[in-house]
Amino acid sequence: MKLVAVLACRNQSSRLYGKPLQNLDVKNGVTILDYMIRQIKLQKLINAIVLGISEEEENIFYKQIAQKHAVQYVTGDDRDVLARLIKGAELVGADHVLRVTSESPYTYYDDLAEVYAYHCANAVDYSVTSGLPDGAYFEIIKVAALKKSWEQGEAKHRSELCTLYIFENQDKFKIVKHPCPKKFERTDLRLTVDWPEDLIVMRAIYEGLQLSPDAPLDFGRIVDFLDVNPKVNAVNNWIDSGIGRIWY
């Protein structure tokens, strides 16, 4: 079995342009995407990283990022994010895709080995750790399930809502939601970048905890930091995620 991280990349956004390219570490020029790629490389279960880049001209810089980090990339339709995930998986012969959104730097990987082992041993189509703060989770999706979603779904299912078809048709897929530690069941914390306020918080966490892209993230330190710095947390925890990036 081959598990591959495919990161969908594009600049267009109505709220904050070029979210993956925003700096977490302003002084050293470490972007959100830089940090995420280097963190994923620390996860030995992940066999490869592929950037799924929108073919619109404004996104050409992502090819340079792929070269900088010695990872592969594919290009595809700007709106058909699902097709880019599938194309990236096929490029490297993946059986399963690890999906994290490219504007969410602080992923909870603590249970990756456990979740992936169960996923493979039980022929699961979709696995996730539920209950984590917005932006902290990863998804493991069987490539065959992604292809079924694209073939049987509509345009809305091929958008950035890549797993919407799976959750609207749960009778067609085997879905497993793993519980997270009680300490991390925090709907009052927001760890993704969609608005300028989100970026302020992500930078404050990075600087306050003196994070490094090459050191494994201690997720508990982020929770503790926001608890002892309520004014930082208040900058973005009021933002409504709307439809969100995951369905329960």
Side-chain angles (χ1 to χ4, degrees), residues 121-134:
N122 294 276
V124 178
D125 293 304
Y126 176 94
S127 296
V128 72
T129 300
S130 62
L132 291 164
D134 188 17

Side-chain angles (χ1 to χ4, degrees), residues 19-20 32 35-36 100-107 109 134-137 191-193 202 245:
K19 292 178 287 189
I32 291 173
Y35 180 83
M36 293 186 70
V100 286
T101 57
S102 55
E103 65 273 7
S104 302
Y106 304 132
T107 305
Y109 285 120
D134 188 17
Y137 61 87
L191 298 175
T192 190
V193 174
M202 298 307 106
R245 295 173 174 81

Side-chain angles (χ1 to χ4, degrees), residues 198-233:
D198 293 324
L199 184 59
I200 291 171
V201 175
M202 298 307 106
R203 286 176 174 173
I205 292 170
Y206 192 96
E207 181 178 355
L209 295 179
Q210 298 183 314
L211 298 181
S212 165
D214 299 313
L217 178 67
D218 182 343
F219 192 80
R221 291 184 68 211
I222 292 180
V223 174
D224 292 340
F225 175 82
L226 292 175
D227 281 344
V228 299
N229 292 278
K231 289 184 179 179
V232 174
N233 190 37

Side-chain angles (χ1 to χ4, degrees), residues 5-73:
V6 184
L7 306 180
C9 301
R10 69 171 184 171
N11 283 333
Q12 188 59 42
S13 172
S14 60
R15 292 175 288 274
L16 180 63
Y17 184 80
K19 292 178 287 189
L21 303 181
Q22 298 291 334
N23 283 327
L24 277 180
D25 184 341
V26 177
K27 181 180 178 180
N28 296 303
V30 178
T31 69
I32 291 173
L33 187 57
D34 289 331
Y35 180 83
M36 293 186 70
I37 292 172
R38 287 159 73 173
Q39 285 289 295
I40 292 171
K41 285 187 173 184
L42 298 176
Q43 307 302 319
K44 302 306 180 185
L45 286 174
I46 300 174
N47 302 111
I49 301 171
V50 181
L51 302 189
I53 304 170
S54 164
E55 63 191 5
E56 296 296 317
E57 187 175 356
E58 64 183 313
N59 300 295
I60 192 170
F61 186 68
Y62 288 104
K63 297 180 182 180
Q64 298 176 33
I65 294 175
Q67 293 166 356
K68 169 185 172 183
H69 290 285
V71 301
Q72 295 177 274
Y73 69 86

Side-chain angles (χ1 to χ4, degrees), residues 130-199:
S130 62
L132 291 164
D134 188 17
Y137 61 87
F138 61 82
E139 301 166 291
I140 298 178
I141 315 162
K142 190 180 292 185
V143 174
L146 291 174
K147 290 181 177 178
K148 181 186 288 187
S149 298
W150 193 93
E151 292 164 358
Q152 298 183 7
E154 303 171 9
K156 66 178 181 178
H157 302 113
R158 298 169 186 155
S159 67
E160 68 273 12
L161 308 177
C162 301
T163 55
L164 179 59
Y165 184 81
I166 292 174
F167 280 87
E168 287 185 344
N169 298 272
Q170 297 192 34
D171 58 317
K172 298 182 179 181
F173 301 94
K174 185 171 183 178
I175 298 170
V176 175
K177 303 168 191 174
H178 297 261
C180 73
K182 291 293 183 182
K183 176 179 179 178
F184 302 149
E185 288 184 358
R186 298 290 298 272
T187 58
D188 61 321
L189 306 182
R190 179 175 164 86
L191 298 175
T192 190
V193 174
D194 204 24
W195 298 83
E197 291 90 340
D198 293 324
L199 184 59

Side-chain angles (χ1 to χ4, degrees), residues 2 4-6 47-50 72 87-95:
K2 191 171 186 179
V4 173
V6 184
N47 302 111
I49 301 171
V50 181
Q72 295 177 274
K87 190 175 181 181
E90 290 179 333
L91 177 70
V92 292
D95 301 290

